Amino acid sequence: MADKTLKSVLSRLYQADIPLKEDIVFALSVEEKAHKVELFAFADDVRKKHVGNGILLRGIVEFSNYCDNSCKYCGLNRTNMRLVRYTLTEKQILKAVEQISAARIQTVVLQSGEQADLDACRLAGIIREIKTRFDMAVTLSLGEKTFEDYEMWKEAGADRYLLKIETTNRQLYNELHPQMSLDNRLRCLKDLNLLGYQTGCGGIIGLPGQTVSDIADDILFFAKENFDMLGIGPLIPHPATALGDCPAGDIEMVLKTVAVTRIVTKNAHIPATTAVGSVNGSDYRRDALIAGANVLMPNFTPLPFRKLYEIYPGKRCVTETPGNCASCMDLTAPAIGRNIEYSRGDSLKRIANKCA
């Protein structure tokens, strides 16, 4: 019988190419404070060994809040008639990118709701302009698109793509995402990998009906697919959605999931997400960094629009100027013995594969 002490389980999780699901469930289920401290410390050691002490910065520009989907937890869903919609002009986007560059951040994340009528050619032009004017990586987070759109943006210079799966439980996915398909989500992730994008995925913790077993399946999926980036955050239901009265996800489970994901995936880039900094009116991003995360994502969306990108209520930093937001990151790092790393922060998995 396998040794079921936490120390032995964490060691097996770290050493296995694909860990046992029962070991993941065991680690996610620890409740005693001493055991959680042990889990987080182990994950932090793995983080230090595989990605170092640097905290990478990604500057986000949320350039449109239009969305065709009706996800039951997201405030951008098309049924939310109270939300004022916007789309930034090319000039506004490039101005925000200029501010990111001035803050010495070398990655911009262009994010929007999922829009079938998104002008792919216009966006390709913006990507080319960014690559011409600024020495930085371009990450896209625009949802499910055709292979041809992904290919056009890659040829224009896009480096990375974020497409969270949210949950691998097919029934739960279907319940939360009307008119959407888990199979199409998986198809998109395969297309992105095929085209050579550094690909990010991730999940939501605290979905109604979600079990520890489900979260373990998500982590196994992340390990098997070997994603370059993984974002994990709590459910924060928007009041203008079907899940508006549901409680927010348990932050302790979020932190445990970050830790186990770090141990299993080793050198994936894992952000302390904005949602982790916004749940229940508190900021747990420092806790996530201590539990294995290595990325922060300051928001450079222009102030008049930032509060309108309301995926969930209580979103942090919707009134901060971009410069102040970046400066806050500089203060966070030394307090936990870390440093801000002003680099592109490309995939360590891709670098490792090239050197192998």
Side-chain angles (χ1 to χ4, degrees), residues 27-37 39-40 205-206 212 215 232-235 248-260 276 279-280 284 287-288 291:
L28 291 173
S29 300
V30 298
E31 293 295 340
E32 291 185 22
K33 182 177 180 180
H35 289 162
K36 287 187 284 189
V37 169
L39 169 61
F40 299 152
I205 305 302
V212 175
I215 299 171
I232 297 158
L235 172 71
D250 175 33
I251 190 61
E252 290 296 320
M253 181 57 76
V254 173
L255 297 174
K256 288 188 286 186
T257 304
V258 167
V260 176
V276 169
V279 64
N280 297 326
Y284 293 95
D287 302 82

Side-chain angles (χ1 to χ4, degrees), residues 57-193:
L57 299 184
R58 321 294 205 194
I60 301 178
V61 182
E62 300 153 334
F63 66 87
S64 178
N65 68 351
Y66 283 92
C67 190
D68 298 331
N69 296 334
S70 52
C71 304
K72 293 184 178 180
Y73 49 83
C74 179
L76 300 193
N77 79 86
R78 60 184 175 83
T79 63
N80 182 5
M81 300 303 177
R82 288 179 280 176
L83 183 64
V84 177
R85 305 289 174 166
Y86 73 90
T87 298
L88 299 184
T89 65
E90 179 176 346
K91 183 178 180 180
Q92 289 170 322
I93 294 171
L94 293 174
K95 178 63 175 178
V97 177
E98 184 179 350
Q99 292 174 332
I100 292 171
S101 180
R104 297 187 291 150
I105 298 171
Q106 295 189 40
T107 294
V108 56
V109 181
L110 299 179
Q111 185 171 353
S112 77
E114 293 195 25
Q115 307 169 48
D117 61 351
L118 178 70
D119 189 335
C121 292
R122 171 180 178 267
L123 182 59
I126 293 172
I127 294 168
R128 282 190 289 268
E129 185 69 15
I130 292 171
K131 301 299 282 190
T132 299
R133 290 178 51 185
F134 308 99
D135 183 20
M136 64 172 59
V138 174
T139 300
L140 304 178
S141 182
L142 315 171
E144 299 173 7
K145 297 296 176 183
T146 64
F147 183 92
E148 290 73 22
D149 284 348
Y150 290 148
E151 185 175 39
M152 181 191 304
W153 297 331
K154 190 71 174 67
E155 290 175 351
D159 302 278
R160 308 170 189 150
Y161 203 101
L162 303 177
L163 186 65
K164 292 175 66 177
I165 200 165
E166 312 302 14
T167 177
T168 55
N169 180 316
R170 187 173 294 273
Q171 180 179 350
L172 188 56
Y173 185 94
N174 291 339
E175 288 175 357
L176 296 171
H177 304 92
Q179 290 82 53
M180 296 177 69
S181 161
L182 180 60
D183 289 332
N184 193 53
R185 203 77 167 180
L186 295 171
R187 185 273 303 170
C188 290
L189 288 167
K190 289 181 179 178
D191 286 350
L192 292 165
N193 274 320

